[in-house]
Amino acid sequence: MDNCKEIQNMIDSFEHGNLSLKNEEAFTHHILNCNDCREEMEIYYIILYGLDDDNEKSIENSSYSEYLDAFDFTGLVEQKLKDSEARCLFLRQWSHFTRVRYLFVTAVMILTALLLIIIKFF
Ligand SMILES: [Zn+2]
């Protein structure tokens, strides 16, 4: 793997939701296929949650806290990546849909303008 260092530098941004859609897709795709980076990500979460004695800070997503309670960081990483994939897919479809709708609205506007011109001059 060529850009492992780059990917591993993105873990923190990923966790905080600061990656662009394109970067998040690349990130998730890479980590799913790269054991080194996946291990690195597990270590990241072990440090983030595992070493925190007063683990009172509420974890926003309860499906993640199950993994944390069991100290299953492999499972946690897998779940996070799966969620990320689903989110990226949704965003892709949504932006595709928005683009199609935008084209449709533009086409209707042009046709309306043409129609007005035709009515006015003929
Ligand atoms: Zn890697």
Side-chain angles (χ1 to χ4, degrees), residues 39-104:
E39 246 168 57
E40 199 61 33
M41 195 167 169
E42 280 173 35
I43 292 166
Y44 172 86
Y45 284 119
I46 290 168
I47 292 167
L48 187 66
Y49 296 119
L51 300 180
D52 195 4
D53 273 341
D54 54 353
N55 216 337
E56 300 301 318
K57 63 174 166 188
S58 57
I59 293 121
E60 67 289 4
N61 191 328
S62 62
S63 72
Y64 295 149
S65 60
E66 269 173 47
Y67 291 108
L68 290 174
D69 288 344
F71 286 97
D72 179 8
F73 288 97
T74 311
L76 176 73
V77 165
E78 218 134 289
Q79 187 63 46
K80 290 241 184 201
L81 292 173
K82 250 190 278 173
D83 288 351
S84 161
E85 268 194 324
R87 189 170 58 238
C88 286
L89 194 67
F90 173 78
L91 286 173
R92 266 230 179 279
Q93 283 168 345
W94 177 251
S95 74
H96 177 72
F97 172 70
T98 312
R99 201 154 46 223
V100 168
R101 203 176 43 175
Y102 176 76
L103 283 175
F104 179 75

Side-chain angles (χ1 to χ4, degrees), residues 1-8 11 26-42 77-78 81:
M1 282 289 170
D2 44 343
N3 55 346
C4 286
K5 199 90 213 127
E6 232 172 278
I7 293 288
Q8 288 167 18
I11 293 175
F27 176 87
T28 308
H29 180 77
H30 180 99
I31 298 234
L32 282 170
N33 295 293
C34 178
N35 284 332
D36 283 354
C37 288
R38 206 194 282 225
E39 246 168 57
E40 199 61 33
M41 195 167 169
E42 280 173 35
V77 165
E78 218 134 289
L81 292 173

